[in-house]
């Protein structure tokens, strides 16, 4: 069966479809086709045309839907997803499969809160897991559908894939080749695995392994650290219309899923900008002072500067970034579960480690002697 490549389509599966009409309308208002079905009413044609199949976690089956003791029957949304995955596989279609739950924190209680959605998805062979209480859920589902639709259109060999440059929106810039090299260093599934999954493995890699972590794309905090700017100053610059703001926005990631997990910045662009500023400076001035001078001049207003010689971003046991940047001399490296080896190393402040047994257990082996001695 041929996939519909004309319009992104979202299939919402819920045992209470009337409660999802508002969500469906919000998604449709973004230019997507939206179908709402009860589990019993889903057809193969629905599965074939869907860009995203979103299934509610808890389902109440009507009387007469199945035998009294349904050992073979899907017991919840996670089990039902498996059924639809096999149908899609059989029809050679590749929608994104997501779970929607009003109790996501309960379902993933033991998982770090900052990566709970992506971690749950990875553990259950899904593309994503959404919190139904999230006010942005409809927007994010629509973004995922659009990204999947574009992936279907561009992934096949000879159709403009180019290692994902077009899908990522990587423009022709002085630093684009460096950015492409950084993308490749994160081991994207571009070859046999991607072919086997019709490209859907790329979506999972990007959503689950790239966006939640500091990789070739950076959060506001990580980008501000590379510019030696306090986060508040960085965000103040972006809220302005200064030459510095316009320059920084040249490095803003604008490809698929660009605001799925908050805005992101091309690492290669930020680093190239920093190098160009430092290349014009006086060697007798420290890098931090020179950057502050150059950035302030471009902004046209006073800017602060990080006082640390080697600033690092710290996280807590939930993998949540601290807004307070610290020096590496006051921190230890961590080795947390699921953290990609190609991402920037995560850190924690020594004070937090000494006061929190949970984060103490994450300290990397090479830094343990700084905490435990020996």
């Amino acid at each position: 069966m041929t996939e519909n490549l004309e319009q992104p389509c979202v299939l919402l599966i819920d045992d209470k479809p009337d409660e999802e009409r508002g969500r469906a309308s919000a998604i449709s208002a973004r230019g997507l086709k939206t179908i709402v079905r009860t589990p019993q009413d889903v057809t193969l044609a629905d599965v074939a045309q869907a860009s995203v199949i979103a299934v509610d976690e808890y389902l109440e089956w009507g009387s007469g839907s199945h035998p009294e003791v349904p050992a073979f029957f899907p017991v919840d949304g996670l089990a039902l997803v498996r059924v639809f995955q096999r149908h899609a596989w059989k029809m050679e279609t590749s929608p994104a499969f997501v779970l929607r739950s009003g109790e996501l924190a309960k379902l993933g209680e033991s998982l770090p809160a900052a990566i709970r959605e992506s971690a749950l998805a990875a553990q259950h062979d899904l593309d994503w897991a959404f919190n139904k209480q999230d006010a942005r859920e409809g927007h994010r589902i629509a973004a995922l559908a659009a990204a999947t639709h574009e992936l279907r259109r561009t992934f096949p060999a000879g159709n403009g894939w180019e290692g994902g440059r077009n899908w990522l929106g990587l423009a022709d810039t002085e630093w684009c080749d460096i950015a492409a090299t950084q993308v490749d260093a994160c081991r994207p599934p571009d070859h046999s695995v991607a072919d086997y999954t019709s490209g859907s493995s790329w979506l999972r890699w990007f959503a689950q392994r790239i966006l939640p972590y500091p990789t070739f794309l950076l959060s506001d905090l990580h980008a501000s650290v590379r510019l030696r700017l306090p986060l508040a100053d960085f965000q103040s610059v972006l809220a302005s219309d200064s030459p510095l703001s316009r320059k920084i926005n040249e490095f803003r990631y604008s490809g698929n899923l660009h605001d799925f997990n908050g805005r992101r910045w091309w690492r290669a662009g930020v680093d190239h900008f920093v190098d160009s500023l430092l290349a014009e400076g006086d060697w007798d001035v420290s890098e931090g002072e020179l950057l502050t001078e150059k950035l302030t001049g471009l902004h046209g207003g006073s800017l602060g500067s990080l006082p640390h010689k080697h600033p690092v971003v710290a996280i807590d046991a939930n993998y949540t970034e601290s807004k307070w940047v610290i020096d590496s001399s006051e921190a230890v490296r961590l080795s947390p579960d699921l953290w990609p080896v190609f991402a920037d190393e995560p850190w924690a402040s020594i004070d937090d480690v000494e006061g929190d047994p949970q984060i103490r257990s994450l300290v990397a082996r090479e830094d343990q002697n700084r905490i435990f001695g020996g």
Side-chain angles (χ1 to χ4, degrees):
M1 186 175 293
T2 303
E3 295 176 293
N4 178 11
L5 298 181
E6 295 180 0
Q7 182 184 28
C9 175
V10 173
L11 173 61
L12 296 177
I13 301 172
D14 199 291
D15 56 347
K16 299 176 181 177
D18 289 342
E19 296 181 5
E20 297 303 319
R21 301 299 179 190
R23 182 81 68 197
S25 296
I27 294 173
S28 296
R30 299 179 182 277
L32 287 76
K33 181 178 181 179
T34 311
I35 302 170
V36 182
R37 295 275 194 262
T38 63
Q40 300 96 316
D41 293 333
V42 177
T43 68
L44 293 181
D46 293 334
V47 174
Q49 67 180 307
S51 305
V52 166
I53 297 179
V55 184
D56 187 32
E57 178 187 2
Y58 296 111
L59 301 171
E60 295 178 4
W61 299 93
S63 59
S65 297
H66 51 72
E68 184 177 350
V69 185
F72 64 90
F73 211 81
V75 296
D76 59 14
L78 283 169
L80 189 61
V81 164
R82 296 290 177 273
V83 176
F84 294 130
Q85 283 177 326
R86 294 311 301 164
H87 280 303
W89 179 265
K90 205 171 178 183
M91 293 186 291
E92 298 183 350
T93 66
S94 52
F97 288 93
V98 305
L99 183 74
R100 303 176 64 227
S101 175
E103 298 184 8
L104 205 66
K106 179 179 177 181
L107 180 62
E109 184 176 7
S110 62
L111 295 169
I115 63 163
R116 183 170 289 146
E117 293 180 341
S118 61
L120 269 172
Q123 296 306 307
H124 291 286
D125 191 27
L126 302 168
D127 293 282
W128 202 257
F130 287 104
N131 180 358
K132 292 177 72 173
Q133 312 306 322
D134 180 4
R136 296 183 71 246
E137 187 206 18
H139 170 79
R140 298 175 77 204
I141 288 176
L144 193 67
T148 304
H149 182 76
E150 182 65 13
L151 190 62
R152 287 176 170 180
R153 192 183 69 81
T154 60
F155 179 76
N159 198 20
W161 179 243
E162 297 181 355
R165 283 196 182 203
N166 292 333
W167 192 86
L168 292 168
L170 183 54
D172 187 12
T173 64
E174 292 181 281
W175 45 268
C176 64
D177 288 340
I178 296 174
T181 299
Q182 291 175 352
V183 171
D184 193 55
C186 293
R187 299 294 186 266
D190 278 329
H191 308 294
S192 57
V193 171
D195 290 338
Y196 184 73
T197 62
S198 301
S200 62
S201 56
W202 172 280
L203 183 73
R204 291 195 182 189
W205 164 81
F206 185 73
Q208 298 176 14
R209 306 293 287 166
I210 300 302
L211 288 180
Y213 305 97
T215 56
F216 59 86
L217 297 180
L218 304 172
S219 67
D220 277 14
L221 182 57
H222 279 273
S224 69
V225 168
R226 301 184 91 80
L227 291 167
R228 298 298 184 102
L229 286 174
L231 179 60
D233 284 30
F234 178 77
Q235 294 175 335
S236 177
V237 167
L238 293 174
S240 74
D241 189 34
S242 71
L244 178 58
S245 175
R246 294 193 291 272
K247 185 64 179 178
I248 292 176
N249 271 294
E250 292 178 10
F251 320 131
R252 184 169 179 171
Y253 173 67
S254 59
N256 282 283
L257 301 179
H258 60 272
D259 62 350
F260 191 74
N261 268 29
R263 62 185 172 192
R264 291 292 185 268
W265 308 90
W266 285 102
R267 175 196 296 267
V270 175
D271 287 349
H272 182 270
F273 178 46
V274 169
D275 289 344
S276 68
L277 293 178
L278 294 178
E280 301 170 359
D282 188 338
W283 290 100
D284 294 332
V285 180
S286 70
E287 287 189 4
E289 292 175 321
L290 182 56
L291 268 180
T292 300
E293 175 188 327
K294 296 288 186 179
L295 294 173
T296 298
L298 281 171
H299 182 52
S302 178
L303 293 173
S305 177
L306 295 178
H308 314 293
K309 187 176 182 180
H310 299 292
V312 295
V313 174
I315 64 170
D316 61 18
N318 275 315
Y319 297 16
T320 302
E321 293 179 350
S322 169
K323 293 184 179 179
W324 304 106
V325 176
I326 58 178
D327 193 83
S328 60
S329 63
E330 303 169 359
V332 289
R333 289 166 291 184
L334 304 180
S335 183
D337 293 348
L338 302 179
W339 198 275
V341 295
F342 48 75
D344 286 355
E345 286 185 308
W347 296 77
S349 75
I350 292 175
D351 288 344
D352 285 349
V353 169
E354 291 177 340
D356 187 342
Q358 190 175 1
I359 198 165
R360 190 184 311 142
S361 67
L362 303 180
V363 176
R365 185 177 298 275
E366 57 266 36
D367 274 7
Q368 288 182 2
N369 65 320
R370 296 182 61 195
I371 303 297
F372 308 113

